[in-house]
Amino acid sequence: MTGTTQDDYTDRYARRVRGMTTSEIRALFAVASRPEVVSLAGGSPYIAALPLDAVGEMMSKLATDMGTTSLQYGIGQGTVELRERICEVMTLSGIDASNGASPDDVVVTVGGQQALDLVARLFLDPGDVVLAEGPTYVGALGVFQAAQAQVRHIAMDADGLVPAALEAAIAEAGGRAKFLYTIPTYQNPAGVTLTEERREEILDICERHGLLVVEDDPYGMLSFEGEAPRPLRARRREGVFYLSTFSKTFAPGLRVGWILAPHAVREKLVMASEANILCPSAFAQGAVTQYLSTMPWREQIKTYREIYRERRDALLDALEDLMPAGTTWTRPDGGLFVWATLPEGLDSKAMMPRAIAARVAYVPGTGFYADGTGTDSLRLNFSFPAPERIREGVRRLAGVMEQELAMRAVFGPTTPHRRRGPAGADAPGPDLA
Ligand code: PMP
């Protein structure tokens, strides 16, 4: 077909693709990457904090000394060496042999994102229900939408997922809920953490209703105040899938993550992964294995924690000093994000073009809901910009909000206030990590 237009393909798309829509927000993100814009929109770790020379040297040795394995195909589950190292890493969070963690039940994935995709492939049929926090990780929404599942959001408060709301959602789903997808620690995007007591309560509820738990934990090691509560998987071994990644503790460019699966399903996961990617990158696995074997990775995590703590403080201080009255926000003890709720009547999505014009970017709250809610909130990232840039970004954002509030006071609402909209309109992309 020569000279075809987009329309020539529209009717041919698989049903799962039809819900994938682009949005005006995506176009704005292209502008947001310009250097004059302070981007509080991303989710990128501060890679410049890595000892890049040493990492580079390690990588070049990987090709010269171990090229015949590191540049070759590998096995679908991932190398034994890396799976052993992953078990060592999980020990720091309290997931160890005493609660049944073993390299045999680890599947190496292409980042945490493929781990989510594999779980969806394994369990979701079209029309199935996934229960997830509201708001939740935008990349998970994309995966569940591609699986043609329905996401039902469950309320959170400052202590994380609300157990009574989970009970109600399970009852309402009437047996169609396949699993609970949760990010209990330093949640993306809300920045809140599920308390110790609620961890037990949530696990009890899921067990009572026979609901599987998919625990996504990319941020648990990035704590700023003491250690994070132990993951759900450290408390229950059956019925819990534990997903994590080296994206935030080492480097996202290598795209290495993992699933610790209940033993009975590990084989199916490997088959699903082989159908998807044959095997994870041998080179990337070798790089992570070498990094964990030869470099001070625990110290590096401490470095990330210190940098992010300082940046979190810069963001919280700037919000405190500069935000208009009526704005509220979360105070994360770790991770990369703060979730802000705007004063009555402001719409984060409608405000975005004016924010970009004022040279500041954020992610509107709607991106983190499957049902278009979230216009009253937005996500702010503090891991990537330097503290003074963070403050400048908040100053610009506050200026835009003040202007919007002043306009509203004179002319009434300037844009329709849409609380609900199309599902997945702000589908995932690198800016929404
Ligand atoms: N889960 C959550 C909650 C995330 O925030 C992210 C990335 N931002 C991922 C999964 C995907 O991680 P990765 O980059 O390892 O694919």
Side-chain angles (χ1 to χ4, degrees):
M1 291 194 294
T2 51
T4 51
T5 67
Q6 217 164 12
D7 282 350
D8 295 322
Y9 295 96
T10 306
D11 294 341
R12 302 169 199 250
Y13 285 133
R15 250 177 234 112
R16 66 181 170 277
V17 175
R18 290 182 195 161
M20 292 179 188
T21 54
T22 186
S23 74
E24 66 274 32
I25 297 292
R26 265 179 184 272
L28 287 173
F29 279 132
V31 185
S33 58
R34 291 189 189 156
E36 66 272 20
V37 176
V38 176
S39 182
L40 303 172
S44 300
Y46 186 60
I47 293 305
L50 282 168
L52 290 174
D53 287 345
V55 172
E57 207 173 301
M58 181 197 89
M59 298 261 198
S60 97
K61 279 180 73 161
L62 200 60
T64 49
D65 299 355
M66 291 187 255
T68 52
T69 49
S70 71
L71 298 174
Q72 189 53 277
Y73 286 113
I75 60 167
Q77 190 177 353
T79 67
V80 179
E81 294 78 14
L82 179 56
R83 287 187 279 118
E84 282 170 357
R85 292 287 169 196
I86 285 171
C87 285
E88 227 177 282
V89 170
M90 289 192 293
T91 306
L92 295 190
S93 314
I95 300 175
D96 54 29
S98 76
N99 40 56
S102 129
D104 201 32
D105 296 334
V106 171
V107 180
V108 177
T109 57
V110 181
Q113 193 65 27
Q114 195 216 354
L116 280 166
D117 189 66
L118 289 181
V119 172
R121 278 165 197 256
L122 225 57
F123 292 110
L124 296 180
D125 283 317
D128 281 347
V129 170
V130 174
L131 304 177
E133 285 128 6
T136 191
Y137 169 49
V138 61
L141 288 178
V143 166
F144 302 148
Q145 184 194 52
Q148 297 175 265
Q150 298 171 31
V151 174
R152 304 265 170 89
H153 291 293
I154 302 165
M156 272 186 293
D157 59 22
D159 291 340
L161 199 62
V162 177
L166 174 62
E167 287 266 22
I170 293 172
E172 201 183 310
R176 280 189 304 143
K178 276 287 175 71
F179 56 76
L180 167 68
Y181 169 67
T182 178
I183 310 153
T185 310
Y186 316 136
Q187 207 247 11
N188 177 8
V192 301
T193 295
L194 191 67
T195 58
E196 286 282 349
E197 308 75 60
R198 282 203 186 165
R199 283 176 193 241
E200 296 300 332
E201 252 185 285
I202 297 288
L203 282 166
D204 286 345
I205 292 170
C206 291
E207 199 169 284
R208 202 161 358 101
H209 293 277
L211 191 69
L212 298 177
V213 177
V214 177
E215 176 178 32
D216 194 2
D217 187 28
Y219 304 106
M221 286 198 195
L222 297 176
S223 56
F224 310 147
E225 333 277 347
E227 293 300 319
R230 280 185 314 137
L232 304 175
R233 176 58 184 79
R235 299 156 198 267
R236 300 288 151 96
R237 62 174 77 180
E238 279 310 321
V240 181
F241 290 72
Y242 179 82
L243 281 48
S244 193
T245 172
F246 290 103
S247 291
K248 313 293 171 164
T249 51
F250 178 21
L254 290 167
R255 314 300 305 127
V256 179
W258 73 92
I259 307 180
L260 174 65
H263 187 70
V265 295
R266 186 264 288 149
E267 207 174 312
K268 276 270 197 290
L269 272 176
V270 173
M271 287 192 273
S273 187
E274 285 171 348
N276 188 210
I277 60 160
L278 289 186
C279 63
S281 154
F283 190 83
Q285 292 182 84
V288 175
T289 307
Q290 284 299 101
Y291 178 74
L292 295 171
S293 319
T294 64
M295 297 186 70
W297 60 273
R298 290 179 182 80
E299 294 309 308
Q300 182 62 39
I301 292 175
K302 280 190 199 146
T303 304
Y304 278 136
R305 284 179 179 190
E306 277 156 28
I307 293 170
Y308 297 161
R309 187 198 295 113
E310 188 195 352
R311 292 176 179 202
R312 185 249 351 228
D313 290 344
L315 178 55
L316 293 181
D317 289 349
L319 291 169
E320 196 66 53
D321 295 345
L322 301 166
M323 274 289 127
T327 317
T328 58
W329 53 87
T330 56
R331 289 172 175 73
D333 293 332
L336 311 188
F337 306 107
V338 164
W339 182 253
T341 305
L342 302 177
E344 178 66 32
L346 289 194
D347 180 326
S348 62
K349 199 166 173 181
M351 194 170 76
M352 186 73 177
R354 290 184 278 281
I356 296 286
R359 295 169 296 130
V360 60
Y362 56 81
V363 185
T366 44
F368 306 97
Y369 288 90
D371 58 9
T373 50
T375 52
D376 62 348
S377 30
L378 49 86
R379 189 190 77 176
L380 300 171
N381 165 260
F382 54 80
S383 57
F384 196 72
E388 56 286 2
R389 293 278 287 170
I390 290 176
R391 192 170 182 88
E392 177 57 22
V394 172
R395 197 185 60 73
R396 292 176 190 177
L397 178 59
V400 173
M401 287 165 63
E402 297 282 8
Q403 258 182 5
E404 295 269 310
L405 288 165
M407 296 265 283
R408 283 184 60 87
V410 178
F411 302 111
T414 48
T415 41
H417 201 70
R418 200 160 55 91
R419 291 258 158 205
R420 302 185 83 82
D426 301 325
D431 285 311
L432 305 180

